[in-house]
Amino acid sequence: MTVRPILIAGDPRLTTPAIPVTVFDDDLAAFVDDLFDTNTAADGAGLAANQIADPRAVFVYDLVDGGLRHRGHVINPVLRTSPLPETMPDPDDLEGCLSVPGEWYPTGRAHWAEVTGVDRTGRSVTVEATGYLARCLQHETDHLAGRLYLERLLGRNKRAARRMIKDRHWTQPGNSWLPGTDTP
């Protein structure tokens, strides 16, 4: 198992849609383990393959919501949600991202989400959730669609994020950080 560098906003690999997985082998199983190891080392709730420069449609999640630990992975996910809010989110409804390290912005998400896909062996998987896990499922499937959560921001939050990206010089590809060794 390996902890891999995490790409930072500004890298075009984060905005490129993922490629569906068609080969289910030991390499894929090892890759899923690397995603878990990297997510754990980064103290993340979830991690998508393109965040570590891999184009496959895979994400992992490992978080506590409502006192329960939720841990799993989904390959080739398809997302369904309740309606998305169309107004400014509550200022306390913060979301962060390992590819936008150290930043948190109010982000509107659907209350309910369901992801269907397969696991590392090709068996069907369905994950249905509300709360924090629902937010995570939406966040990670957005990654695989080539969308950072910053694109979902509204009004002053969107403007603040644009300034932050410019101030941090995250406008060029190639920026990354390695959990466990770098401070993002």
Side-chain angles (χ1 to χ4, degrees):
M1 270 86 48
T2 305
V3 173
R4 299 190 188 195
I6 297 173
L7 299 177
I8 294 176
D11 194 297
R13 292 171 285 187
L14 291 170
T15 57
T16 302
I19 298 167
V21 174
T22 58
V23 176
F24 297 84
D25 59 8
D26 290 343
D27 177 61
L28 177 64
F31 177 68
V32 170
D33 290 339
D34 288 353
L35 278 170
F36 276 117
D37 289 346
T38 304
N39 186 60
T40 298
D43 196 26
L47 185 67
N50 59 343
Q51 290 182 270
I52 60 171
D54 189 292
R56 291 178 279 189
V58 180
F59 75 81
V60 299
Y61 59 92
D62 190 354
L63 57 92
V64 175
D65 185 21
L68 298 173
R69 183 177 184 199
H70 302 274
R71 186 175 195 275
H73 68 282
V74 183
I75 299 169
N76 301 333
V78 175
L79 175 70
R80 289 187 327 129
T81 68
S82 58
L84 292 168
E86 295 182 19
T87 59
M88 282 293 281
D90 184 303
D92 295 327
D93 203 8
L94 297 175
E95 189 165 322
C97 179
L98 296 175
S99 289
V100 187
E103 300 295 331
W104 296 81
Y105 294 99
T107 308
R109 293 287 185 179
H111 172 73
W112 171 87
E114 178 187 77
V115 171
T116 57
V118 296
D119 69 10
R120 67 178 89 194
T121 66
R123 286 187 302 229
S124 293
V125 172
T126 300
V127 183
E128 182 179 358
T130 58
Y132 187 36
L133 180 56
R135 176 178 294 277
C136 180
L137 296 174
Q138 293 168 77
H139 183 105
E140 300 310 327
T141 54
D142 268 359
H143 270 301
L144 296 177
R147 176 184 240 180
L148 289 173
Y149 88 103
L150 300 176
E151 294 176 43
R152 293 201 175 272
L153 301 180
L154 301 173
R156 67 183 171 276
N157 299 319
K158 186 177 212 86
R159 290 188 296 276
R162 283 187 189 140
R163 276 192 308 278
M164 178 274 302
I165 293 283
K166 185 178 177 185
D167 290 348
R168 289 192 172 205
H169 306 287
W170 288 351
T171 55
Q172 302 195 18
N175 291 320
S176 67
W177 66 284
L178 184 63
T181 61
D182 292 343
T183 302

